Amino acid sequence: MESKAMENDKSVAGRQEPYAQRKRVESSLARRHGAERRFRAAGMAAVLFGLGMVALLFISILGKGLPAFWQATVVTEVYFDPEVIKVDPRPEPLPGETPAQLREREMAWQTQLTMVNWNRIIENALATHLPEVEDARTRARLRQLVTSGERFALRDMVVADPGLIGQRLKLDLLADANVDVWLKGNIDRSLPDSQQQLSADVRAWADDLHERGIIQMKFSTALFGNPDSRSSLASAGLAGAFVGSVYMMAIVILLAVPVGVASAIYLEEFAPRNRFTDLIEVNINNLAAVPSIIFGLLGAAVFINWFKMPLSAPVVGGLVLSLMTLPTVIIATRSTLQAIPPSIRQAALGIGASKVQMILHHVLPLALPGILTGAIIGVAQAIGETAPLLLIGMSAFVASVPATPLDQSTALPVQIYLWQGNELRNFFEARTSAAIIVLLALMLSLNALAIWLRKRFEKRW
């Protein structure tokens, strides 16, 4: 009887064991599937959070910066009144006169033009729209509607074409920065007069002229065509900083890319494997992680203090950024070379090619997309650097567009830094965001070029 009961128990246990195993497997699968769903949800949340932050960044920058691309402009007829512009006729070459003597008389004539009361020309142009302004002291305040740099622009027009004297021209005169802020609503209109930058009558004139279409919001060509300015804030532009950045970018491309690629090829294909090579590789990796401000200190000590190169010059900035970009180019190029299958090299050597021919004819063409991508990303990263440029003096105010890499200049990120600290916050906050948009557009263009080059030359094996 006992043996039969034991057989029955074993039979029951045998029937229950597969059921228990199945329950355990189902429970384990449920836990695994739950963990997988949580992992996917966490990954999706991280991606959405990142995209949300990027979207928030772009919305913030575009929301603040896009209005700066349109600027208050006074569209009016300007009369180059001969009664105000009392100057001698432009000098003409005289028989036997040397170029130096002609130039001296030309400079004297331009000095006469500089002494002309150009503010009166602007006052007269604005007064035609506000005939009720008759008092001389009140008329003088009309000049507050137009930025101060426009009087120099009128002078330059006459210097270029003296025949304008006595003519009437319809011109676009940039409104003053405070007028632009007032019309765009970037200042609280309910503030008392003591806290307003413009007097009550100037504010009323600005509103009146804007309502009548004499002051219009026009695309700001000054933002792209003018250098920075502190005397005429509305005329401040990015031309000087943009050209300075282009010079530095050209130096980085011409210096860092070929040197970096050649160094990577030597280290990957020719250098013997020993402790010295390992030491070089470790230091290259360490240099890629060094803060950019250290390269600025190095550049100030070496290029400016030792080699006496010009301060605030794009050539110095380009050399400093080249040093900073070099490790990135070397590492990217070596990674690309390592990704080339060894069979390519062996096949080339097997058909009788030398090592140099193997590299130049077979390895480099296949590695070109990766090398170009790494180089362009390195250059794009260098364009956005600010810290090393501050240490070599490129934060200095420069009110001209550099003609050569040896001229004083600034750069786009440094210009953003300078505008961010300007005391006229209501005007330059939008200007700063507009400059960031230009810088981002330049960097995104380079990244898009890198992607296109990779797709264009990519080869699969």
Side-chain angles (χ1 to χ4, degrees), residues 110-443:
Q110 292 188 19
T111 302
Q112 290 182 12
L113 281 175
T114 303
M115 302 301 292
V116 169
N117 189 355
W118 295 104
N119 287 330
R120 178 66 59 81
I121 301 290
I122 294 175
E123 286 175 22
N124 293 339
L126 296 174
T128 58
H129 305 290
L130 299 166
E132 68 276 12
V133 182
E134 297 178 348
D135 179 60
R137 183 173 298 180
T138 308
R139 280 173 58 99
R141 286 205 294 275
L142 287 174
R143 298 200 301 264
Q144 297 181 27
L145 291 169
V146 177
T147 189
S148 60
E150 292 298 344
R151 65 176 185 265
F152 303 113
L154 295 179
R155 181 202 60 188
D156 293 341
M157 290 176 64
V158 175
V159 170
D161 183 10
L164 290 177
I165 299 176
Q167 294 188 21
R168 296 178 183 274
L169 284 182
K170 191 172 185 178
L171 299 177
D172 293 344
L173 305 178
L174 275 180
D176 187 77
N178 288 309
V179 173
D180 185 80
V181 170
W182 173 258
L183 294 177
K184 287 180 178 175
N186 293 337
I187 190 171
D188 187 359
R189 290 187 168 226
S190 63
L191 290 174
D193 287 348
S194 59
Q195 297 181 21
Q196 297 285 356
Q197 294 292 330
L198 298 172
S199 59
D201 50 0
V202 176
R203 300 198 303 269
W205 295 335
D207 287 334
D208 181 32
L209 294 177
H210 186 226
E211 187 176 349
R212 292 157 54 190
I214 297 168
I215 297 182
Q216 304 174 11
M217 292 296 169
K218 288 197 167 187
F219 185 77
S220 177
T221 55
L223 179 63
F224 299 95
N226 291 352
D228 195 12
S229 175
R230 289 184 179 173
S231 59
S232 176
L233 300 181
S235 303
L238 292 169
F242 186 83
V243 175
S245 291
V246 170
Y247 280 139
M248 288 193 300
M249 189 168 54
I251 292 171
V252 172
I253 292 174
L254 293 176
L255 190 62
V257 175
V259 173
V261 172
S263 302
I265 292 174
Y266 174 77
L267 290 173
E268 193 61 33
E269 304 290 345
F270 293 99
R273 300 299 173 190
N274 53 35
R275 291 185 178 180
F276 182 68
T277 307
D278 294 340
L279 179 65
I280 292 176
E281 292 180 0
V282 170
N283 280 284
I284 289 173
N285 293 331
N286 289 336
L287 282 174
V290 169
S292 58
I293 195 168
I294 303 299
F295 289 98
L297 290 171
L298 177 67
V302 175
F303 299 122
I304 294 177
N305 293 338
W306 289 359
F307 296 131
K308 307 299 180 184
M309 298 182 77
L311 195 67
S312 307
V315 63
V316 179
L319 291 174
V320 172
L321 295 179
S322 296
L323 291 176
M324 194 192 71
T325 309
L326 207 51
T328 304
V329 177
I330 293 175
I331 293 172
T333 304
R334 291 195 65 187
S335 299
T336 306
L337 292 175
Q338 289 169 0
I340 303 298
S343 57
I344 301 292
R345 297 176 174 83
Q346 295 166 1
L349 295 174
I351 59 175
S354 67
K355 197 164 186 179
V356 173
Q357 289 175 327
M358 177 266 289
I359 294 170
L360 296 180
H361 298 170
H362 300 278
V363 176
L364 270 185
L366 295 175
L368 190 60
I371 294 174
L372 289 174
T373 302
I376 292 175
I377 291 176
V379 173
Q381 180 187 5
I383 293 174
E385 285 294 338
T386 307
L389 304 181
L390 295 178
L391 293 178
I392 59 172
M394 296 198 73
S395 61
F397 172 72
V398 180
S400 60
V401 179
T404 69
L406 297 175
D407 295 337
Q408 285 192 331
S409 175
T410 184
L412 279 175
V414 180
Q415 189 64 67
I416 293 170
Y417 170 79
L418 293 175
W419 280 356
Q420 177 65 25
N422 194 286
E423 58 184 8
L424 189 55
R425 294 287 308 135
N426 291 339
F427 181 74
F428 278 99
E429 188 175 13
R431 211 72 161 180
T432 303
S433 297
I436 292 174
I437 292 174
V438 174
L439 180 60
L440 283 176
L442 187 59
M443 297 175 70

Side-chain angles (χ1 to χ4, degrees), residues 31-41:
R31 287 197 302 273
R32 289 165 58 187
H33 289 164
E36 188 174 355
R37 284 194 297 270
R38 289 192 295 274
F39 185 78
R40 287 183 178 180

Side-chain angles (χ1 to χ4, degrees), residues 1-9:
M1 293 294 291
E2 290 182 358
S3 60
K4 190 174 182 180
M6 291 177 63
E7 289 177 358
N8 291 335
D9 292 342

